[in-house]
Amino acid sequence: MNDTLILRGLQIVLVIGIAIMLFVYYRQIKKAGLKLRQGGIKAFIIGFITDFGDTIGVGSFATTTAAFKVTNFLDDDRKLPGTMNAVHAVPTMFEALFFLTAVKIDWPTFIVMTVASVLGAVIGPRLTAGWDAQKIRGVLAWMLVIAALVMLYNIFFLPIPAMGKNALVGWQLWLGFAFNFLLGILMTLGLGNYTPELIFFSLMGMNPLVAYPVMMMNSAVVMTTAATGFIKTKRIQWRGLGMIVLGGIAGVVVAATLVKNINLSVLRYGIVILSLWTAYSLWKESRQVLSMEKSIENN
């Protein structure tokens, strides 16, 4: 009964959050003198592809940035962070709704890790003010490579039934709190939480699908909070936003159906590939920024 009440409560909160954000977006789009269907099929496709990828664990920020660049979607690059948070906040809440019922959730694990992530995101901006984001990306890249190698060991030497747990207990729960607290901080630097979450749950001997409701809820809370702040500071491009959100919701519905029915063995291999790809992306990005900084210093 208590589990049912918690689930229904979270679902109600998410539905209310979706309704509020859609209403805010509607008012802002109308206030800007724009039409909801502005952006057309191009905006819809951007939303569908990026949030489809987000739902299967790839993340959305890197793909959205690339899509915006290729299509010259933004009229001002300074609006990129705000626009990305705004277009993905509602689809991410849909993701959380889907995955709350996709697997059996241990509520203490879910609540502890979600609260830890939110706390990290709240104090993150103060703590990370002097941190070197590029060096952190480089370190995380190597950590993901090591984690991927450990995952490969588990795949070949540990049977799939060992991945069947759905709860963190004892020291694992404390470790989960610390891990997600750190992830919440790193999210304020623009680093994604999906791949690290999938790796962490897998290495704890749990079904990786359990990570989905946790990481989706974390992202939904952080993105919604961030989007609200960007709306107040007028750093969001409203042209085309409605169609991106609509495409994003469609992408979530399609992808969530696939992920919920995926074979666990396939998912484990997918996590390894995703980890290596994310590590490469982080390493490449850190090297590009450092190279650019050196070029500026030499000139």
Side-chain angles (χ1 to χ4, degrees):
M1 182 64 177
N2 289 335
D3 288 356
T4 302
L5 287 175
I6 294 173
L7 175 61
R8 294 291 178 263
L10 287 171
Q11 289 173 326
I12 290 171
V13 169
L14 285 168
V15 170
I16 292 174
I18 290 170
I20 291 174
M21 292 304 291
L22 288 177
F23 177 71
V24 170
Y25 291 171
Y26 175 81
R27 287 191 59 185
Q28 291 294 331
I29 291 171
K30 288 297 184 182
K31 186 178 178 180
L34 302 170
K35 295 181 179 180
L36 291 174
R37 64 177 181 274
Q38 205 152 355
I41 189 65
K42 178 174 72 174
F44 183 91
I45 291 174
I46 290 174
F48 184 92
I49 292 175
T50 55
D51 281 301
F52 181 96
D54 195 61
T55 308
I56 64 175
V58 174
S60 58
F61 278 15
T63 52
T64 304
T65 301
F68 282 174
K69 292 292 184 183
V70 169
T71 60
N72 294 315
F73 191 84
L74 290 180
D75 54 23
D76 185 349
D77 284 344
R78 290 174 295 183
K79 294 180 180 179
L80 177 61
T83 304
M84 284 200 301
N85 276 281
V87 298
H88 294 303
V90 171
T92 303
M93 282 191 274
F94 269 92
E95 290 175 22
L97 270 176
F98 269 100
F99 285 103
L100 280 176
T101 56
V103 294
K104 181 175 174 55
I105 298 172
D106 175 68
W107 292 112
T109 300
F110 178 87
I111 293 171
V112 166
M113 295 195 73
T114 300
V115 169
S117 181
V118 173
L119 287 175
V122 169
I123 71 168
R126 299 178 185 176
L127 290 179
T128 61
W131 291 14
D132 188 329
Q134 303 315 318
K135 288 183 179 178
I136 293 174
R137 283 182 170 87
V139 171
L140 284 176
W142 284 109
M143 291 176 65
L144 285 172
V145 170
I146 294 171
L149 293 176
V150 175
M151 275 291 295
L152 280 174
Y153 174 85
N154 288 347
I155 288 173
F156 288 111
F157 297 102
L158 292 180
I160 288 179
M163 305 289 290
K165 296 192 303 180
N166 72 327
L168 295 174
V169 294
W171 66 269
Q172 288 187 337
L173 187 59
W174 284 105
L175 182 60
F177 180 90
F179 180 80
N180 259 33
F181 180 76
L182 178 60
L183 273 187
I185 294 174
L186 294 179
M187 286 173 71
T188 64
L189 290 172
L191 300 170
N193 70 318
Y194 283 13
T195 303
E197 292 273 21
L198 287 168
I199 284 288
F200 177 79
F201 276 90
S202 297
L203 294 182
M204 290 296 102
M206 297 176 66
N207 183 340
L209 280 175
V210 176
Y212 277 85
V214 174
M215 64 192 191
M216 302 304 183
M217 183 63 76
N218 293 350
S219 292
V221 173
V222 173
M223 282 186 181
T224 302
T225 303
T228 303
F230 284 120
I231 290 172
K232 292 179 180 178
T233 55
K234 300 180 179 179
R235 288 186 287 167
I236 294 175
Q237 176 173 298
W238 296 107
R239 177 179 56 81
L241 184 139
M243 290 300 291
I244 293 181
V245 172
L246 183 61
I249 293 172
V252 168
V253 173
V254 174
T257 303
L258 295 176
V259 172
K260 287 195 294 184
N261 297 311
I262 195 170
N263 179 275
L264 185 55
S265 179
V266 173
L267 179 59
R268 295 171 82 190
Y269 280 107
I271 293 172
V272 172
I273 295 171
L274 182 60
S275 300
L276 294 175
W277 172 254
T278 304
Y280 171 74
S281 300
L282 287 170
W283 177 82
K284 183 179 179 181
E285 183 178 353
S286 66
R287 298 304 302 173
Q288 286 177 339
V289 173
L290 289 174
S291 177
M292 188 181 301
E293 291 175 349
K294 289 181 180 178
S295 177
I296 293 174
E297 289 177 1
N298 293 334
N299 293 331

